[in-house]
Amino acid sequence: MKLVDASGLVLPGFALRVICALESAGYEAWAVGGWVRDSLRGAEGHDVDVTTSAQWEQTKLVLESVGIEVHETGTAHGTVTAVVEGQPVEVTTYRTEGTYSDLRHPDEVHFVTDVREDLARRDFTINAMAYHPERGLLDPYGGREDLVAGVIRAVGEPERRFREDALRVLRAVRFACRLGFAVEPATQDALAGCAPELSEIASERIGQEMTGIVESGRVDWALLHETDVLAAAIPEVGAMRGFDQCSPYHAYDVLEHTAHVCRAVEEFQGGLATTELRWAAFLHDIAKPVTFTQDSTGRGHFFGHPKVGAQMAEDIMRRLALPTDLVKQVRILVRMHDHVVTPTPRSIRRTLRKFELACPGMAPRLTWELLDLKRADAVSKVPSAAYYAVELDEIAAVLRQELEKHPPLTVRDLAVNGGDVIRETGMAPGPAVGLMLDTLLTGVLNDELPNEREALLAQLRWADAQ
Ligand code: ATP
Ligand code: MG
């Protein structure tokens, strides 16, 4: 990777103000961490974190004296957040960390006076660089070189660093995925060895890192190359490893197949698959190991795996404290991934309706995503199964036609409403009215009735007469 020359780095004005204010008051201050890493890569826009020799109380005093707003966001760890021109800048006192008896939170932090000691506590070489507009780049661990080579390398002795804080195991995989980097061999050995300690880490922290991994679009790489780590983060993933499907349709074990599907959805979507499609591809076959049976010929079956898998996906994602809407979307995509769809308006509309019921307002988007999930699934089995992708093109053509007609997906889209039902049938207001509208909607979706007011009113009168 070709990097920006350190002399070419330009600190945004709002961060410069913070650094200048601290230095004019006699303290030392540097930009550090993610901003330095991403700016060297030529990727702009990362928030700026500042590390300083000032204690947080001093930082607050100095910054407020020049009119900068300061919030006490983490003073136990020496952090305050300055807000300059609407931009937050986290300012943290140089510190090292003590022991980590819970493998996550340092029992105590020690404030220090040398920025190098602060860099030594950071996780990876590429995250352990500091930059100052006059003093330039401070890079005691060769982070720049590792950025050029595309390598994730622990600062210091890898195993000790991972044992101090097991979350670093997952962070390593997240940075490798996000940047497309390799993990340096000694760091990799320690990763695999320390992965089980992830079980000690709070699940929402694991959720944050897994989000980063899945949203990198490279979870396929992590599945194949960092299986131990993913299996430690999500134990259900471990059961997919080496799971022989005993099926003439499958050339791969469940984990390899899943990795292929993840890669395929990414390719179909030009590397920009949506978050729900990425998670659905990752978890679509999660229930295969638990639903596996073999018939008398030895052939494997996974009856009910979409249904069980939808529940498992929901359980996993809730455990990881992921957003409820996302969980619902992934749940229905996993539930539907093997659902039979045919290139007919009726089948397409019924599919749209299922998505509408699960995730109101999202039916068209999720149905398109289902087609890509199915397409990815089809091309990740044996070559003969890939033929289904041709049928999916026909299904896509019908979906396009149907969406242009704006089919009714909820009872609100019908040409009649609850008042019409009450008037035409004499029915009392209540749940039965809704059921009658549902029946009409089903009739319309099944092509048994047109969505036209007169026809639906006639149907209501007919129903009333029965
Ligand atoms: P991102 O773009 O993902 O936010 P980042 O580098 O800003 O990347 P953060 O998690 O925001 O990452 O942390 C800021 C910096 O703090 C990191 O660059 C790293 O130097 C240090 N750091 C964060 N978490 C840890 C940790 N668990 N162990 C050691 N150092 C850490
Ligand atoms: Mg950050």
Side-chain angles (χ1 to χ4, degrees), residues 345-347 349-350 402 407-408 414 436-452 454-460 462:
R346 182 170 182 266
S347 173
R349 278 187 249 134
R350 289 167 64 95
E402 280 308 302
L414 286 173
M436 180 56 86
L437 288 170
D438 276 340
T439 310
L440 290 180
L441 180 62
T442 306
V444 171
L445 291 172
N446 287 344
D447 263 345
E448 293 151 10
L449 286 168
N451 187 22
E452 288 161 12
E454 277 316 314
L456 296 180
L457 289 175
Q459 174 69 18
L460 286 171
W462 177 82

Side-chain angles (χ1 to χ4, degrees), residues 28 35 76 123 133 248 269 298 309 367 373 417 433 442 452 455:
E28 203 179 78
W35 181 85
D123 46 7
Q269 305 253 338
T367 306
L373 182 58
N417 59 26
V433 175
T442 306
E452 288 161 12

